[in-house]
């Protein structure tokens, strides 16, 4: 059994509202031939505000790729620890209980990964496995959950920690003035999120099955162009149509487990924009209210990339309406075009303890071998 526990999510202190975003677009791009279209697209996202790691006047300046990446590393090291500790506390675990750290981020680069710094700094064991993910974009939230599930399935007593650190504001490029870029400037926000996956015990979503699916010949629909000035986000106008080919993959996943994707109790999906949620509602034949957690993340934080699905899970925990046995779907969408999806059932704390009794301390649990089958 692998249980996705209560996440911890934090957003930076600097806020930009939808009104401020539109005013900036009108000011900076006053002569842009397609400005009315870009403004309309930004308004239609439904994003009310976003949080960013620097004041907007600093964000709008481009000091160079090197300095931006130094900002990424500094801010990640300053902001990740508190979120990690909260996520571990939520799961009833300590750093020493973690066997795998899955670190996901597509907005900065470090080698060694931040996982090495975490192990050296935050009390994780020196034999903790590291799994950094840098190139799955927004799909990485779902992929991290799935890889943690796979690991805990291979090692039933093991625990995994997922950390998402997305500073999308560091990818702002003043010279990118295509409509897709202007839309992105009004859509993406910054956040840090963490969640533990327990191999035994715990309250949350018991993961039961997962699946990856790539839509053929769509590699250039969502992409980065890496240039001297850093990451340049490329967004094809066909991206909003991707739920039509991806929804059947979600249906197939549910059907393979004997479930009907239209009859589930909760839906946690990546909210890249309102069109994704509206189309999923139509193609899966579920009410729009089913995606309330994802829509709330989009409205209050914007698209926070891989952290969206983790924040949506947090909102489901906070709502407190899930009961033992509730069935649901988790899905992240991103470059490829890729879907990383999972099925799970809600496990209450009483049922979890009945299954495994009081969780054993680390010293009495089998330890996964090092080799073999192996607001901020």
């Amino acid at each position: 059994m692998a249980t996705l526990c209560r996440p911890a999510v934090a957003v930076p202190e600097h806020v930009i509202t939808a009104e401020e975003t539109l005013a900036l677009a009108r000011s900076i791009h006053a002569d842009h031939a397609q400005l009315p279209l870009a403004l309309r697209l930004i308004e239609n996202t439904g994003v009310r505000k976003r949080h960013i790691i620097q004041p907007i006047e600093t964000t709008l300046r481009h000091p160079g790729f090197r300095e931006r990446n130094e900002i990424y590393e500094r801010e990640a090291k300053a902001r990740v620890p508190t979120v990690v500790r909260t996520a571990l506390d939520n799961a009833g675990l300590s750093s020493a209980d973690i066997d795998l750290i899955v670190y996901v981020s597509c907005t900065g680069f470090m080698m060694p990964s931040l996982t090495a710094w975490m192990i050296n700094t935050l009390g994780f064991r020196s034999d903790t496995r590291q799994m950094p993910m840098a190139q799955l974009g927004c799909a990485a939230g779902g992929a991290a959950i799935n890889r943690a599930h796979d690991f805990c399935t291979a090692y039933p007593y093991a625990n995994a920690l997922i950390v998402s650190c997305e500073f999308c504001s560091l990818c702002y490029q003043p010279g990118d003035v295509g409509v897709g870029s202007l839309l992105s400037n009004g859509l993406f926000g910054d956040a840090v999120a963490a969640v533990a996956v327990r191999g035994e015990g715990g309250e949350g979503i018991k993961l039961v099955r997962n699946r990856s699916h790539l839509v053929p010949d769509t590699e250039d629909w969502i992409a980065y162009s890496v240039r001297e000035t850093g990451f340049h986000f490329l967004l094809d106008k066909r991206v909003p149509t991707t739920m039509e080919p991806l929804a059947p993959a979600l249906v197939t996943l549910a059907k393979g487990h004997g479930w009907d994707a239209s009859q589930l109790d909760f839906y946690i999906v990546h909210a890249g924009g309102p069109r994704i949620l509206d189309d999923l509602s139509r193609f899966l034949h579920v009410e729009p209210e089913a995606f309330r957690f994802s829509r709330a993340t989009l409205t209050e934080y914007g698209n926070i990339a891989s952290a969206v699905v983790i924040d949506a899970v947090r909102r489901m925990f906070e709502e407190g309406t899930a009961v033992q046995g509730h069935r649901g779907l988790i899905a992240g969408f991103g470059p490829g075009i890729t879907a990383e999806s999972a099925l799970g059932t809600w496990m209450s704390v009483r049922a979890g303890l009945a299954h495994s009794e009081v969780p054993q301390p680390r010293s009495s649990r089998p330890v996964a071998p090092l080799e073999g089958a192996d607001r901020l």
Side-chain angles (χ1 to χ4, degrees):
M1 184 183 77
T3 301
L4 187 68
C5 298
R6 187 185 189 112
V9 180
V11 291
E13 60 276 17
H14 303 289
V15 176
I16 180 168
T17 66
E19 293 75 17
E20 291 168 334
T21 297
L22 293 169
L24 280 171
R26 293 188 186 100
S27 172
I28 297 172
H29 305 289
D31 299 327
H32 197 292
Q34 293 183 291
L35 180 60
L37 171 61
L39 294 175
R40 186 166 69 252
L41 291 174
I42 293 171
E43 287 180 311
N44 289 342
T45 63
V47 177
R48 288 204 305 258
K49 65 178 176 67
R50 294 168 293 149
H51 295 253
I52 52 181
I53 59 172
Q54 302 177 106
I56 187 60
E57 57 270 18
T58 305
T59 300
L60 293 175
R61 294 195 295 267
H62 196 327
F65 188 27
R66 175 179 176 175
E67 186 170 332
R68 277 194 169 175
N69 208 62
E70 289 172 351
I71 294 169
Y72 171 88
E73 181 173 347
R74 181 177 68 245
E75 294 292 332
K77 290 178 177 178
R79 298 172 186 269
V80 162
T82 298
V83 179
V84 164
R85 293 186 185 102
T86 303
L88 291 173
D89 287 345
N90 289 346
L93 298 172
S94 70
S95 299
D97 293 320
I98 297 300
D99 303 286
L100 168 72
I101 301 173
V102 185
Y103 179 76
V104 293
S105 180
C106 61
T107 53
F109 181 80
M110 293 173 60
M111 190 171 73
S113 165
L114 191 74
T115 51
W117 178 85
M118 290 169 60
I119 291 170
N120 285 319
T121 307
L122 302 181
F124 294 96
R125 306 191 323 271
S126 60
D127 65 345
T128 305
R129 274 78 154 199
Q130 304 172 64
M131 187 183 291
M133 292 186 185
Q135 294 158 302
L136 281 173
C138 298
I145 292 171
N146 288 349
R147 301 295 77 80
H149 178 204
D150 293 343
F151 182 81
C152 291
T153 300
Y155 302 108
Y157 295 97
N159 302 305
L161 177 71
I162 298 166
V163 181
S164 167
C165 180
E166 301 288 16
F167 301 146
C168 301
S169 63
L170 292 178
C171 298
Y172 171 70
Q173 297 289 350
D176 291 353
V177 295
V179 171
S181 296
L182 298 187
L183 171 59
S184 299
N185 295 342
L187 177 63
F188 285 93
D190 299 348
V192 177
V195 61
V197 177
R198 289 188 59 139
E200 180 185 35
E203 179 175 58
I205 301 171
K206 183 177 73 171
L207 302 168
V208 296
R209 181 180 291 247
N210 69 63
R211 184 174 193 247
S212 301
H213 181 78
L214 183 141
V215 180
D217 303 318
T218 57
E219 299 102 310
D220 58 347
W221 287 25
I222 302 174
Y224 270 167
S225 175
V226 183
R227 307 172 193 167
E228 293 84 353
T229 50
F231 302 136
H232 292 251
F233 186 62
L234 305 178
L235 186 68
D236 191 276
K237 63 182 180 181
R238 293 169 290 183
V239 168
T241 68
T242 51
M243 288 307 101
E244 185 169 5
L246 286 180
L250 305 183
V251 172
T252 299
L253 172 66
K255 187 176 181 180
H257 200 64
W259 293 3
D260 182 345
S262 301
Q263 301 293 324
L264 302 179
D265 300 296
F266 61 86
Y267 297 82
I268 304 294
V269 302
H270 175 73
R275 172 74 181 273
I276 288 177
L277 302 178
D278 293 342
D279 281 358
L280 271 182
S281 176
R282 179 159 55 95
F283 292 129
L284 295 183
H285 307 291
V286 298
E287 294 297 319
E289 174 69 7
F291 302 109
R292 61 191 179 278
F293 307 118
S294 302
R295 200 176 298 274
T297 297
L298 180 66
T299 299
E300 297 175 23
Y301 294 163
N303 184 341
I304 49 176
S306 64
V308 167
V309 292
I310 302 175
D311 186 65
V313 172
R314 175 186 67 86
R315 292 172 188 273
M316 188 177 81
F317 268 87
E318 290 185 351
E319 185 182 81
T321 56
V323 299
Q324 177 69 20
H326 266 189
R327 304 176 301 169
L329 169 74
I330 303 171
F333 311 119
I337 297 291
T338 300
E340 287 279 349
S341 50
L343 301 177
T345 60
W346 183 262
M347 173 71 71
S348 71
V349 67
R350 287 182 178 274
L353 290 175
H355 177 268
S356 60
E357 300 304 324
V358 177
Q360 303 170 55
R362 160 67 59 183
S363 60
S364 63
R365 296 209 321 255
V367 177
L370 286 174
E371 299 177 357
D374 7 286
R375 177 144 191 249
L376 295 180

